[in-house]
Amino acid sequence: MVSLWKKYGFIGLFMLLSGFSGCKKPEFSPVIKILGKGGMGNSHMYPMNSKASYMEALLYNLDGVEVDVQLTKDAQLAAFHTENLEATTNMTGRIYDYTWEELQEQCRYNNHRFRSYSLISLDEITEIYPPDALLSLDIKIFIPSDEEADAYMNAYINALRDLYTKHRNIMLESSSPYYARMLKAVNEQIPVLLVSNSASEGLDLVIDNELDGIVLPDTEANEDVMERARNYGMVVGIWETSKSIHYSLDLEPDFFQATSVKRFGR
């Protein structure tokens, strides 16, 4: 059987992304970018958004990774998925309740297999990955209070601006069209994509809010959805859930977020 990467022409260690066009859409090559979701997402081996998961994606020569991003109390960017730390770690509250130093020193995963793993910062991720790797950042926004909302968002935007000076090949994702519009203030050259579980609703929101594209689960992606998105010049990403990988790749999205990266080793 012809392997996936041969069938779809994935060439080289990491494909160099072209510059950004005036409409802010990256000039993707015809080759589909393969990203490890949360690194590579193998929860049986190590936690998502850990250094080990991102190193795994690098080992299998993916084109980049999807990263869940949250803001710390001292305006650092940390890779973490859930709103509440107690869901998966030995700490309580939110990422924003702690400084990066406190999280690094104290935060450990509850699962006994993962207790040796600590959180990783976005600065560390940019040190791991070469400049041409694509980082798709899922920006998790958990406003601490109405009184702190403006300061929180300003700190978040400034931290992302600083990150962009260190790694230029990034995209920003948000499941909220309201916050997605705010993220456009980071830099006009950075594409901002809406994460949506509904293709029809999501496409309408992208158009209404003048965003740059959409990220959908494979169950919502089909030829009609792709045609409509392309007609509006959108960047389109698909993340892996239950459909076959071939189904998603045959739709030719700009990028595909895989939850198991070994199948794409090249």
Side-chain angles (χ1 to χ4, degrees), residues 15-33 35 132-137 164 168-173 187-193 211-215 230 232-237 253-255:
M15 295 299 297
L16 179 64
L17 292 179
S18 302
F20 292 93
S21 67
C23 65
K24 295 182 286 182
K25 177 180 177 181
E27 293 179 359
F28 286 100
S29 74
V31 176
I32 303 166
K33 307 296 177 183
L35 311 181
D132 55 343
L134 174 60
L135 303 183
S136 190
L137 310 181
Y164 187 57
R168 308 294 281 191
N169 284 344
I170 67 174
M171 299 188 300
L172 305 180
E173 303 177 10
N187 189 294
E188 64 179 7
Q189 297 297 317
I190 303 175
V192 178
L193 313 182
L211 304 176
D212 301 299
I214 192 166
V215 189
R230 295 309 189 200
Y232 280 92
M234 296 182 194
V235 175
V236 181
D254 292 298
F255 61 93

Side-chain angles (χ1 to χ4, degrees), residues 178-197:
Y178 174 76
Y179 291 129
R181 289 199 310 273
M182 296 183 71
L183 291 172
K184 291 168 73 70
V186 175
N187 189 294
E188 64 179 7
Q189 297 297 317
I190 303 175
V192 178
L193 313 182
L194 181 70
V195 180
S196 179
N197 286 306

Side-chain angles (χ1 to χ4, degrees), residues 190-217:
I190 303 175
V192 178
L193 313 182
L194 181 70
V195 180
S196 179
N197 286 306
S198 168
S200 58
E201 180 182 355
L203 290 172
D204 287 340
L205 288 170
V206 169
I207 295 167
D208 293 343
N209 290 277
E210 299 181 341
L211 304 176
D212 301 299
I214 192 166
V215 189
L216 295 166

Side-chain angles (χ1 to χ4, degrees), residues 222-235:
N222 56 53
E223 291 182 357
D224 291 338
V225 168
M226 295 299 297
E227 181 179 6
R228 186 181 180 205
R230 295 309 189 200
N231 287 340
Y232 280 92
M234 296 182 194
V235 175

